[in-house]
Amino acid sequence: MTQSPHTPVTVLGLGAMGRALAAAFLDGGHPTTVWNRTPGKDAELVAAGAVAAPDVDQAIGSDGLVVACLFDHASVHDVLDPAGEKLRGRPVANLTSTAPDEARELAAWAKDNGIDYLDGGIMASPAMISGPQASILYSGSQGVFDEHRQALELLGKADYLGDDAGRASLYDFALLAGMYIMFTGFYHGAAMVRTAGVSATDFADRAAAWLSAITASFPSAAVHIDSGDYSTATEQTLDFNKSAVDAIVRASRDAGVGLDMIGQVKALVDRRVADGHGPEAFERIFEGLKATETP
Ligand code: FVH
């Protein structure tokens, strides 16, 4: 039998994302072993050449990279804890979404068990995996990242953010926070135009074009935030934006649309204006969001 030149990979967890990851490793020529708690999710992967393991110990085998893609922090412990001894000396990349402190806790658990731990935050949907827009952020063991980079690049652009295992999660959740707020902003707009008989489908392209275009101003906003100097507004002042946000709140209320989201924006703006910052740059509202002390 011919030996594969590619490192063997084990994927633990065959949800929508785990299946996409395993398919990418297989497509890239890696001998791939898969395991899932509930049987039956491996059929397509096995047809494509994966080996299905009946339990975690057999899935881990004796060499290669172990990739966990489970539901949450607790499920990672459920799966990895009983296999701690078997994993000793092995590289583990955990691509399950966890909070930064949970990632650090897993890294500490891994260290206690002699496991080389890399944490990852997947910035992609399952359909995006291996495509040009997929990016995965990593932190923790640089050794695991460097040694397995070729395999990890099969999933999407691989960025290593340093040895703090919680850093990739921090970026992941910071980016997801922006995503959730942006999506809810789109839904707010869709609820407004619906009162004029416009469908969300008709509104979607227009909203996507506007939101994509406006993100071009992030870098100039970031200059104010990083310098802490809001004295000169690049474009419009906080006072100008207060007038706009107040009008949007009135229009939303008139349309019967809930104020849960835009009301929060108004509260942030109002507080800074009340503190006398109205003539300054809109970015001043960042000061109402940031942690008062850096941990
Ligand atoms: N899907 C997505 O769009 C996002 C994109 C960004 C990253 N996330 C994160 O990836 C992790 C996995 O997501 P997923 O989409 O694969 O999730 P599910 O399809 O719900 O599959 C969950 C798998 O976890 C297994 N599982 C859950 N609890 C346990 C447990 N206690 N012990 C063992 N396995 C467990 C579950 O197994 P089963 O229910 O089929 O038996 C699935 O394999 C996730 O962190 C996302 O936030 C995806």
Side-chain angles (χ1 to χ4, degrees):
M1 197 167 98
T2 333
Q3 255 334 105
S4 165
H6 298 292
T7 319
V9 179
T10 293
V11 178
L12 303 174
L14 299 178
M17 186 54 85
R19 291 198 300 278
L21 303 180
F25 290 128
L26 275 173
D27 283 352
H30 289 264
T32 303
T33 302
V34 294
W35 171 85
N36 195 59
R37 175 182 62 177
T38 308
K41 292 191 176 175
D42 54 11
E44 275 187 33
L45 293 165
V46 169
V51 172
D55 56 45
V56 175
D57 267 21
Q58 290 185 63
I60 290 168
S62 55
D63 68 340
L65 175 67
V66 176
V67 174
C69 188
L70 297 155
F71 183 65
D72 60 5
H73 176 249
S75 56
V76 176
H77 270 303
D78 286 349
V79 172
L80 297 189
D81 283 8
E85 199 45 49
K86 178 98 181 167
L87 286 167
R88 186 169 291 277
R90 297 285 299 280
V92 171
N94 176 31
L95 304 188
T96 309
S97 300
T98 60
D101 276 353
E102 293 171 339
R104 292 183 190 111
E105 186 281 329
L106 280 161
W109 171 86
K111 190 173 177 204
D112 287 347
N113 285 277
I115 298 163
D116 219 357
Y117 182 85
L118 182 68
D119 201 88
I122 303 176
M123 307 315 304
S125 66
M128 288 163 68
I129 291 298
S130 298
Q133 307 277 13
S135 132
I136 306 192
L137 308 174
Y138 297 93
S139 65
S141 166
Q142 177 146 24
V144 175
F145 181 78
D146 289 345
E147 190 176 339
H148 297 283
R149 184 167 190 158
Q150 176 276 333
L152 299 174
E153 292 275 9
L154 292 169
L155 310 176
K157 183 173 178 294
D159 281 328
Y160 179 73
L161 303 180
D163 61 3
D164 167 15
R167 198 169 172 87
S169 291
L170 181 65
Y171 273 63
D172 181 5
F173 281 13
L175 292 165
L176 290 180
M179 179 194 79
Y180 279 114
I181 294 168
M182 179 195 70
F183 269 107
T184 315
F186 165 56
Y187 304 152
H188 183 99
M192 289 179 79
V193 297
R194 173 181 271 207
T195 63
V198 178
S199 70
T201 305
D202 284 343
F203 183 59
D205 282 348
R206 199 177 289 277
W210 163 245
L211 292 173
S212 308
I214 204 69
T215 58
S217 66
F218 282 177
S220 63
V223 171
H224 288 289
I225 291 168
D226 288 341
S227 66
D229 177 4
Y230 304 99
S231 56
T232 316
T234 318
E235 299 231 326
Q236 291 135 349
T237 63
L238 196 50
D239 276 337
F240 175 95
N241 282 285
K242 174 169 169 47
S243 155
V245 171
D246 284 350
I248 296 165
V249 166
R250 284 198 301 280
S252 301
R253 189 181 286 123
D254 291 349
V257 173
L259 302 181
D260 308 67
M261 287 300 293
I262 196 72
Q264 295 293 322
V265 178
K266 177 171 164 50
L268 278 166
V269 170
D270 284 353
R271 273 206 302 277
R272 306 270 61 101
V273 170
D275 288 345
H277 299 294
E280 298 177 9
F282 178 67
E283 289 76 17
R284 176 52 95 165
I285 68 168
F286 173 79
E287 298 294 317
L289 290 169
K290 71 175 189 188
T292 44
E293 281 177 30
T294 312

